[in-house]
């Protein structure tokens, strides 16, 4: 493969402008607004998309989930954006489209696109560029256009600085219908995420509602040790298997889940349930937020 070196040994070489991507060699492709980073593997290809949190780290940075995907034995293609623009820039889509035109994706028996939040929006949209792709979308937005989804008011600064008027790939609720297999994982108690999931629903979409994971559901899934099982299940069987659900039972020991659960119970305002939930959580960890919640309840004088 013709490529040029550009520095640190841990960075794949930049693919030469006139070279076709080779699935047996590491490479990067760099543009002004987006980049690709490929690592070979022996099994399926997992295509990961940056999210709002990963973009806080300056480029060059490793693709999202790089270590996890490589530990699973899969090939990795990281699609990386340089801004919180939901991949609505002039470079990201052409990069993926060129790989498809070169026959790169056809060299793999199975391809899975995966992203969280902003990355999930991109994964759904760009999966339509590659026939037969499966998608894992964690806490996805269907669109950030306030005209299409007036319920969505989060991430105001980033949304104002990105393009939500150009029609191409504006609404994942339209593109999702062209895909074969999509798994959407979301917290149904987060109003915006629940409404986005409803817009994405269809016969080709498997909905995994796992409450108390918040909009950062991917963090809970990771801490449960379940994300690898989710990826492997979709790559090998087209859907999550029993290993994923077994691992997700660990969510009760994850601080983020426990806090969201206790906040929900507290908001419902039933003192006996608050005390019972607090006692159960304190048996597994000495959570400060539980102590504070029980103290507020005691000071309220409500029985």
């Amino acid at each position: 493969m013709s490529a040029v070196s550009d520095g640190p040994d841990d960075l794949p070489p930049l693919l030469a402008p006139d070279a076709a991507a080779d699935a047996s060699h590491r490479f990067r492709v760099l543009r002004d607004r987006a980049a690709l980073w490929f690592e070979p593997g022996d099994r399926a290809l997992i295509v990961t998309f940056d999210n709002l949190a990963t973009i806080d780290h300056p480029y060059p940075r490793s693709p999202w989930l790089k270590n996890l995907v490589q530990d699973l034995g899969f090939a990795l293609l990281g699609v990386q954006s340089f801004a919180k623009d939901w991949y609505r820039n002039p470079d990201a889509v052409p990069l993926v489209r060129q790989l498809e035109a070169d026959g790169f994706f056809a060299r793999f028996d199975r391809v899975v696109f995966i992203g969280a939040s902003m990355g999930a929006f991109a994964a759904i949209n760009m999966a339509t560029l590659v026939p037969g792709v499966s998608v894992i979308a964690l806490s996805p937005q269907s669109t950030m256009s306030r005209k299409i989804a007036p319920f969505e008011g989060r991430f105001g600064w980033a949304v104002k600085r990105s393009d939500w008027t150009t029609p191409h790939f504006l609404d994942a609720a339209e593109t999702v219908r062209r895909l074969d297999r999509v798994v959407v994982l979301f917290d149904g108690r987060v109003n915006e995420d629940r409404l986005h999931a409803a817009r994405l629903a269809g016969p080709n979409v498997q909905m995994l509602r796992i409450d108390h994971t918040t909009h950062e559901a991917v963090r809970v899934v990771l801490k449960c040790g379940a994300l690898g099982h989710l990826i492997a299940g979709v790559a090998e069987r087209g859907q999550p298997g029993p290993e994923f659900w077994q691992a997700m039972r660990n969510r009760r020991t994850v601080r983020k889940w426990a806090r969201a659960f206790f906040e929900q119970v507290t908001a419902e305002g039933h003192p006996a349930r608050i005390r019972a939930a607090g006692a159960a959580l304190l048996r597994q960890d000495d959570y400060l937020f539980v102590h504070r919640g029980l103290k507020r309840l005691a000071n309220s004088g409500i029985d």
Side-chain angles (χ1 to χ4, degrees), residues 271-295:
R273 292 180 62 188
I274 295 171
R275 294 188 189 98
L281 291 174
L282 290 175
R283 283 195 293 271
Q284 68 185 33
D285 206 337
D286 192 30
Y287 294 120
L288 180 59
F289 64 84
V290 174
H291 285 295
R292 287 175 172 171
L294 293 177
K295 183 177 181 178

Side-chain angles (χ1 to χ4, degrees), residues 106-126:
R107 297 165 196 168
F108 300 91
D109 293 335
R110 292 152 289 151
V111 179
V112 177
F113 281 32
I114 180 172
S117 188
M118 179 186 88
F121 170 83
I124 292 170
N125 280 317
M126 281 194 254

Side-chain angles (χ1 to χ4, degrees), residues 4-194:
V4 294
S5 177
D6 71 334
D9 293 338
D10 61 339
L11 282 174
L14 284 171
L15 194 66
D18 59 344
D22 183 344
S24 62
H25 293 84
R26 307 172 72 218
F27 67 81
R28 281 188 304 143
V29 182
L30 187 61
R31 297 290 183 267
D32 291 338
R33 302 282 295 276
L36 302 175
W37 178 318
F38 175 71
E39 299 282 352
D42 295 330
R43 303 165 69 187
L45 173 66
I46 311 300
V47 182
T48 72
F49 292 80
D50 287 341
N51 51 61
L52 294 169
T54 56
I55 291 176
D56 288 334
H57 300 280
Y59 189 85
R61 59 180 179 272
S62 294
W64 184 57
L65 301 182
K66 175 178 178 290
N67 291 338
L68 175 62
V69 170
Q70 290 188 295
D71 286 346
L72 292 169
F74 296 131
L76 167 80
L77 176 68
V79 184
Q80 301 182 280
S81 178
F82 299 154
K84 298 179 179 182
D85 57 11
W86 281 259
Y87 290 82
R88 291 181 58 75
N89 63 61
D91 293 330
V93 168
L95 283 173
V96 175
R97 183 177 281 128
Q98 185 61 54
L99 287 183
E100 168 59 19
D102 290 343
F104 177 78
F105 295 104
R107 297 165 196 168
F108 300 91
D109 293 335
R110 292 152 289 151
V111 179
V112 177
F113 281 32
I114 180 172
S117 188
M118 179 186 88
F121 170 83
I124 292 170
N125 280 317
M126 281 194 254
T128 61
L129 301 173
V130 184
V133 165
S134 298
V135 177
I136 301 172
L138 301 114
S139 308
Q141 290 100 40
S142 57
T143 183
M144 295 302 287
S145 166
R146 293 296 297 275
K147 291 183 179 180
I148 300 172
F151 58 83
E152 177 57 86
R154 300 171 294 180
F155 319 114
W157 182 84
V159 171
K160 287 179 182 178
R161 291 176 60 87
S162 52
D163 168 25
W164 293 101
T165 57
T166 303
H168 187 57
F169 287 160
L170 179 64
D171 187 1
E174 294 182 358
T175 55
V176 73
R177 311 192 197 296
R178 307 206 305 266
L179 299 173
D180 294 335
R181 293 175 299 278
V182 181
V183 175
V184 171
L185 190 150
F186 69 104
D187 184 339
R189 292 182 179 271
V190 177
N191 186 57
E192 296 91 343
D193 289 354
R194 177 178 56 81

